[in-house]
Amino acid sequence: MRVVAALVALTIACAPPATREDPATRPSVPATASAERPTQAREPVASRSPAPTSRGDATVDASERLAWDRVRAAFTTPSLVLAPTWLPFAAARASVTETVAADRYAVTYRAGTGTLVVRLMPVAPPQAGTSGLGLVVRGRPAIFTFDPSAFEREGVLKQISWSEGNAHYTVASDALSGDDVLRIAWSLAGERPPARPSPFTRPSGGSCSPPDAPHESVVQRALSLLGSGEAAIADCFALETLDAERGWLGWGRLPAASDVVLHGSYWFGGRKVVSAAWRFASDPGGAWGIASHRFFLVGPDGDRLRIYDVWSGPPGLPR
């Protein structure tokens, strides 16, 4: 029988903060209202990624729980230990091993013949020919690297890495789909990094969307609030996104939008990407232009849906 070898890695290494990366390779962040995160992806296939609950679950196996308990017991700083709360059905939660040192840990999910393996390993450099996508994990800027021709294909490395203080985390897989790797990273549970003091107070009732609003209406409402000020637009963005980069508040200073057209949506890492085009009332300057088309990542934040990221091209690739 064919043996499918797979590994998904989550590693933490406590070390001095990394030096600043070259701007050509580090994930972009919106320092001003006219900037957004880049991606080299092509047009998405709307049905490519299934809904969040269709390929995995949050049920923790007893062996898995014991492995993470041993990591927390042996690791120097237990509060830095982050464990997945969602895994694809392909991952065997019952076959788990761990490696712990004073300043790092690795937890490996292994399975038998014909399944996928999830592994946590030390940080590895991006493979030659990979693309980089800037995003946010746990309120911190992250970089997702993958082969642009194999986002969903097994046997090709996909890796997400980010830092929380002196702790550097990585989630990587050479077998799971890029979509599943994203879901695992966004599902990690552990002590949250300290948030920066907020410059605004979020309205108690929410000004961007009601709790039951669909993903698409969140984008429509956000675009209707362009030019309404930072406090108004802030309610449309997830708190961890604003904690990672306050530049998104600059959208509240952009000219008003009109002629908004939605061009469909698709699931991406358990969240939804909504494609939208519109026209500004006046030229906002920079790289915008009068007509604009962006891809909004929308997902749960508190009791409602909010925007986690915005890209100039569609993240993820067709199968």
Side-chain angles (χ1 to χ4, degrees), residues 98-116:
E98 75 283 348
T99 302
V100 188
D103 62 350
R104 64 188 62 207
Y105 66 78
V107 176
T108 303
Y109 293 78
R110 290 192 175 277
T113 301
T115 63
L116 296 174

Side-chain angles (χ1 to χ4, degrees), residues 55-110:
R55 284 173 56 172
D57 63 18
T59 304
V60 179
D61 184 89
S63 299
E64 179 186 14
R65 182 179 292 106
L66 287 173
W68 284 103
D69 286 346
R70 288 191 293 267
V71 170
R72 294 185 185 94
F75 193 60
T76 304
T77 311
S79 63
L80 295 179
V81 175
L82 306 180
T85 59
W86 181 94
L87 286 176
F89 292 126
R93 294 176 179 266
S95 302
V96 186
T97 59
E98 75 283 348
T99 302
V100 188
D103 62 350
R104 64 188 62 207
Y105 66 78
V107 176
T108 303
Y109 293 78
R110 290 192 175 277

